[in-house]
């Protein structure tokens, strides 16, 4: 975790680093931290399907089922920029 935080400080790719932190938080059982990291990612890339899906997982694991239910459909919407 410290290496990823250091990467942010030295100007490494923020999206890639936040995604790594989010995934690390999920596997470590730090679901609230994962939710926060995915929230950060989605502020910049609100239609990114992978982030929406993983955010939904984090929301489910912290017990916020209504928010998770909103996140999953966003992941299923096609993004014309990716076509």
């Amino acid at each position: 975790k410290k290496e990823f935080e250091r990467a942010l400080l030295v100007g490494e790719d923020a999206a890639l680093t936040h995604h790594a932190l989010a995934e690390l938080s999920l596997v470590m059982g730090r679901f609230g931290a994962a939710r926060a990291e995915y929230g950060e990612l989605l502020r910049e890339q609100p239609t990114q399907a992978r982030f929406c899906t993983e955010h939904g997982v984090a929301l489910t694991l912290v017990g916020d089922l209504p928010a998770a239910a909103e996140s999953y459909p966003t992941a299923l919407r096609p993004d014309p920029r990716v076509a």
Side-chain angles (χ1 to χ4, degrees), residues 38-39 41-57 59 65-82:
Y38 285 116
L41 287 164
L42 289 170
R43 276 189 278 288
E44 296 296 320
Q45 299 178 54
T47 60
Q48 215 283 356
R50 182 173 182 174
F51 298 161
C52 291
T53 301
E54 293 171 0
H55 186 234
V57 169
L59 290 165
L65 300 182
E70 290 178 21
S71 190
Y72 290 122
T74 303
L76 297 173
R77 279 191 216 114
D79 185 345
R81 296 173 295 163
V82 180

Side-chain angles (χ1 to χ4, degrees), residues 18-48:
H18 281 291
H19 190 218
L21 281 165
E23 288 185 332
L24 179 64
S25 295
L26 273 180
V27 299
M28 292 179 68
R30 298 176 60 239
F31 308 129
R35 176 183 59 183
E37 290 294 342
Y38 285 116
E40 180 72 27
L41 287 164
L42 289 170
R43 276 189 278 288
E44 296 296 320
Q45 299 178 54
T47 60
Q48 215 283 356

